[in-house]
Amino acid sequence: MKKRQLQICNKCLLFASPIVLASGIMLECLHGASFRGIGNAVFTWLHIISSTVLTGFGVWHLLLNWNGISQWLDRFKRHHSKRTKCTAVFFALTVVTGLIAAPLWLTHGHCGIGGVHGKFGYIAAVFISLHIVKHWKWYSHN
């Protein structure tokens, strides 16, 4: 049962990740401007919604791999891989700065914290990509 749930979760993560990354790159490049007549708000909402979904799948992924939330900090401290630790830290920084940037965008429009969020997101994307490559055999056998 758990293996099947992990398989579903990981495939959902693989599906959602490019959408989040592409919309994030667009937002970073547009700096609040429209693109081909489509307002920046459309891309921002796409990014907010897809990132929320991705974060939910990320939490589910951790629940399946590291059991209950109460064990996460201990598992993080004891984990041997610096790369996995960096993945977790930069993903967490991306989520936290996104949680700050979204309400500010809703109330004030395009602001600087979104740029900081984007930089953390790029770093997280690199580590997540490395994590996927490291575990690719799991995908190809399931």
Side-chain angles (χ1 to χ4, degrees):
M1 178 70 163
K2 185 175 172 180
K3 183 178 180 181
R4 179 74 180 135
Q5 288 179 345
L6 192 57
Q7 184 181 35
I8 292 167
C9 177
N10 289 346
K11 288 184 179 178
C12 289
L13 282 166
L14 281 177
F15 176 77
S17 294
I19 297 167
V20 172
L21 184 59
S23 60
I25 290 169
M26 286 198 71
L27 292 174
E28 193 73 24
C29 293
L30 293 174
H31 299 289
S34 296
F35 179 73
R36 303 237 180 227
I38 300 170
N40 186 265
V42 172
F43 298 111
T44 304
W45 277 113
L46 172 65
H47 187 69
I48 290 170
I49 293 166
S50 60
S51 296
T52 301
V53 169
L54 181 79
T55 301
F57 286 128
V59 169
W60 187 26
H61 179 82
L62 282 171
L63 282 168
L64 292 169
N65 281 293
W66 284 6
N67 301 319
I69 295 172
S70 61
Q71 297 178 23
W72 287 2
L73 185 58
D74 186 51
R75 292 285 305 262
F76 177 82
K77 287 181 194 175
R78 290 185 294 125
H79 204 284
H80 65 280
S81 172
K82 289 180 184 175
R83 188 165 54 186
T84 298
K85 287 183 175 184
C86 286
T87 303
V89 167
F90 282 108
F91 186 76
L93 286 169
T94 304
V95 170
V96 169
T97 55
L99 289 171
I100 295 167
L104 288 174
W105 174 77
L106 286 169
T107 57
H108 301 291
H110 189 72
C111 60
I113 190 71
V116 173
H117 165 72
K119 304 311 182 277
F120 283 139
Y122 288 150
I123 297 168
V126 168
F127 281 106
I128 290 167
S129 297
L130 293 171
H131 183 75
I132 292 167
V133 168
K134 180 180 178 185
H135 297 287
W136 190 252
K137 284 184 182 180
W138 194 92
Y139 292 101
S140 61
H141 289 100
N142 290 307

